Amino acid sequence: MNERKVYPFTAIVGQEQMKTALILNIINPMLGGVLIRGEKGTAKSTAVRALAELMPNIKKVKGCKFGCDPYGAEFCPECEAKIASGEAFEIVESKMQVTDLPVSATEDRVVGTLDIEYAIKHGEKKFECGILAQANRNILYVDEVNLLDDHVVDVLLDSAAMGVNTIEREGISYSHPARFTLVGTMNPEEGDLRPQLLDRFGLVVDVTGENSKEQRAEVVRRRLEFEENPDLFAQRFEDSQNELSNRIAAAKKILKSVTYDNDILMMAATLSLALGVDGHRADITMIKTAMTIAAFHNRTQVSKEDLKNAAILVLPHRMRRTPFESGVLDENAIEQILLSNE
């Protein structure tokens, strides 16, 4: 059976903000994920599926059900036991995957389960993997995230922030790495997330259909060409796909070298205070996002422009609706706030 062809990421027409938010979270999974809100048919799912194709193969410990990085600093209990015993890792390579989390998923299905009876009888832990185990070092995709049980969403966001999944039952606990890029999509017409949960997503993007006749026509043209001959269509975008993939890989390498000065910190604080943002999560995420934007542009110093672009992705879903009733924050609004606070 032929493998189903994925629509190329670079072939998606428009939706630049959505594509940027996804790329930034691939470069830096510690941004806390991205929530994409929009009406049906705006390439939300298409973009997420296409994202994994941009990623190079990743190295894993052979046989590890969590896909531990053999050169990393965090390991599951089984891999830690191998290290303690002096056993060498066998290493394999595989493609980064998109792991789906269905709306009907229960907490046990998400976090996994511990066999208490086995632990009592044999004196050792027996863990059945959940979706978070499969998602480690991959993309975790939740379509219609607003329809998930709030508690399950809480668990997801906690794991995304901490990079670890811990399950506790009857005084027995088990932890494993759960570093994934969290992507949620939703149609606001079907209900919204509670503000407390919305705030936990690092970035939020609102998408709509293209307003230009030319752009809409190009969307249709490309889609029909892809359906007619997926392989030929993919060949057209092979160079741009490779170029973007290489750019992401380069950004991941220099991210740890990116720095910022005190002016950038003060700008972030000014924006959060002016918009009445609660807590400090927004400020921290704004700086992290600005650093990731700088890395994506192959720079090691965060600029004022980087922070502006970060604010557009980080602040709108956290700010009070006044003076921007629509909840839209653009570059002009940012400039006005910064000028009025000089």
Side-chain angles (χ1 to χ4, degrees), residues 145-155 192-194 197:
V145 64
N146 51 320
L147 303 183
L148 268 182
D149 180 86
D150 280 351
H151 181 63
V152 173
V153 178
D154 263 330
V155 169
D192 209 344
L193 283 173
R194 287 190 290 113
L197 296 178

Side-chain angles (χ1 to χ4, degrees), residues 69-87:
D69 180 357
Y71 305 109
E74 298 172 327
F75 297 95
C76 68
E78 287 78 6
C79 287
E80 285 181 344
K82 287 184 179 180
I83 295 172
S85 66
E87 184 179 344

Side-chain angles (χ1 to χ4, degrees), residues 209 212 261:
S212 158
D261 57 30

Side-chain angles (χ1 to χ4, degrees), residues 203-216:
L203 314 181
V204 173
V205 177
D206 291 296
V207 295
T208 58
E210 296 296 330
N211 293 321
S212 158
K213 289 187 292 185
E214 290 75 16
Q215 290 282 79
R216 292 181 75 93

Side-chain angles (χ1 to χ4, degrees), residues 30-176:
M30 297 308 291
L31 292 182
V34 56
L35 174 64
I36 305 169
R37 303 184 295 196
E39 58 203 31
K40 296 174 182 177
T42 47
K44 299 188 297 295
S45 296
T46 299
V48 177
R49 303 285 176 205
L51 193 61
E53 294 298 305
L54 295 173
M55 301 305 298
N57 288 345
I58 56 175
K59 290 181 170 60
K60 298 180 179 181
V61 175
K62 185 177 181 180
C64 176
K65 54 192 174 186
F66 305 102
C68 282
D69 180 357
Y71 305 109
E74 298 172 327
F75 297 95
C76 68
E78 287 78 6
C79 287
E80 285 181 344
K82 287 184 179 180
I83 295 172
S85 66
E87 184 179 344
F89 289 142
E90 286 188 64
I91 300 171
V92 294
E93 285 192 5
S94 68
K95 197 75 175 174
M96 193 174 184
Q97 302 293 319
V98 175
T99 301
D100 288 281
L101 191 152
V103 173
S104 59
T106 61
E107 182 182 355
D108 283 350
R109 177 74 184 92
V110 173
V111 303
T113 57
L114 276 171
D115 190 331
I116 303 300
E117 185 179 347
Y118 184 91
I120 294 172
K121 286 183 177 180
H122 299 87
E124 59 184 61
K125 300 171 186 177
K126 184 178 181 182
F127 178 71
E128 293 294 332
C129 291
I131 291 172
L132 292 183
Q134 300 168 25
N136 187 40
R137 304 181 68 210
N138 290 304
I139 299 168
L140 180 59
Y141 176 45
V142 190
D143 192 17
E144 298 182 320
V145 64
N146 51 320
L147 303 183
L148 268 182
D149 180 86
D150 280 351
H151 181 63
V152 173
V153 178
D154 263 330
V155 169
L156 284 179
L157 294 173
D158 279 341
S159 293
M162 302 299 293
V164 175
N165 174 43
T166 300
I167 179 171
E168 296 182 355
R169 297 289 187 273
E170 307 296 334
I172 300 173
S173 66
Y174 185 95
S175 297
H176 68 79

